[in-house]
Amino acid sequence: MKIMVAIKRVVDYAVKIRVKSDKSGVETSNVKMSMNPFCEIGLEEALRIKESGLASEVIAVSVGPSQCVDTLRTGLAMGADRAIHVEASATLYPLSVAKLLKALVDVEKPGLLILGKQAIDDDCNQTGQMVAGLLNWPQGTFASKSYVLFTYKRKGLENDIYESVVIESSLTEAWDGVSLP
């Protein structure tokens, strides 16, 4: 099974942000940028699944300006097998990114797509739900742990095999488990 992980380039979480003088947004020039922490957690989980022998490849994907290549290099250094950069200089909104991710999923045919809970720059928490809707795939949100339980045949995926994933979530301090077929 292939796992595709979307990673976003954001202002580093440790940087004190400054508002632009014209109040049109956040100052990003000469500011340290890094991988969104929630995307990093998603990539680490994908790598854990691969290390357990249940995945054959982890692909890191980023959409944005050419500087996103640095974030993808970080993903490769963490252990991703490949990286895909979709260059876009315009402002990206969650639906735009979801449509781009759907197109990549249609080409790469991963068995699992992982996105971070939300980006620390805009706090939208929308892209994952939108791409799941566009793909007509089940989704698990706010996952804190995942397990790959069993495999079964499903047409259209790599080697016609699909993994059933169980996620645990710790919303409202109560632990829940759900299986995503």
Side-chain angles (χ1 to χ4, degrees):
M1 162 176 78
K2 278 189 209 176
I3 301 176
M4 183 179 286
V5 183
I7 57 177
K8 186 174 183 184
R9 179 180 180 263
V10 297
V11 173
D12 190 85
Y13 71 92
V15 170
K16 184 175 179 178
I17 60 168
R18 297 181 313 268
V19 177
K20 290 181 180 178
S21 58
D22 65 358
K23 305 218 186 309
S24 65
V26 174
E27 185 63 55
T28 56
S29 58
N30 299 320
V31 173
K32 181 182 178 193
M33 305 294 273
S34 63
M35 186 185 302
N36 179 54
F38 295 112
C39 297
E40 189 172 345
I41 292 167
L43 181 57
E44 288 170 352
E45 187 63 27
L47 294 170
R48 273 193 282 280
I49 293 170
K50 182 183 175 204
E51 287 171 4
S52 72
L54 296 169
S56 58
E57 183 178 30
V58 174
I59 306 166
V61 177
S62 192
V63 180
S66 59
Q67 295 91 335
C68 288
V69 171
D70 296 333
T71 308
L72 288 170
R73 283 190 188 113
T74 301
L76 290 168
M78 289 173 66
D81 299 297
R82 287 192 296 136
I84 299 173
H85 177 223
V86 178
E87 191 160 353
S89 56
T91 302
L92 293 167
Y93 296 99
L95 183 57
S96 308
V97 176
K99 288 178 178 179
L100 289 167
L101 289 173
K102 181 194 180 301
L104 286 170
V105 166
D106 290 342
V107 170
E108 291 291 331
K109 307 241 185 286
L112 181 63
L113 174 64
I114 299 177
L115 284 78
K117 175 182 83 137
Q118 67 194 63
I120 62 171
D121 57 356
D122 59 14
D123 282 335
C124 278
N125 184 20
Q126 297 173 351
T127 306
Q129 291 85 336
M130 289 179 179
V131 75
L134 291 170
L135 289 166
N136 197 26
W137 279 13
Q139 63 172 314
T141 57
F142 297 93
S144 54
K145 195 168 198 174
S146 67
Y147 307 92
V148 178
L149 271 191
F150 56 88
T151 61
Y152 61 92
K153 296 279 186 183
R154 180 175 167 188
K155 293 284 182 196
L157 293 178
E158 178 184 334
N159 302 324
D160 292 328
I161 292 179
Y162 183 72
E163 308 286 339
S164 179
V165 177
V166 173
I167 64 157
E168 287 183 2
S169 177
S170 61
L171 271 179
T172 66
E173 299 181 19
W175 288 93
D176 257 339
V178 65
S179 177
L180 303 175

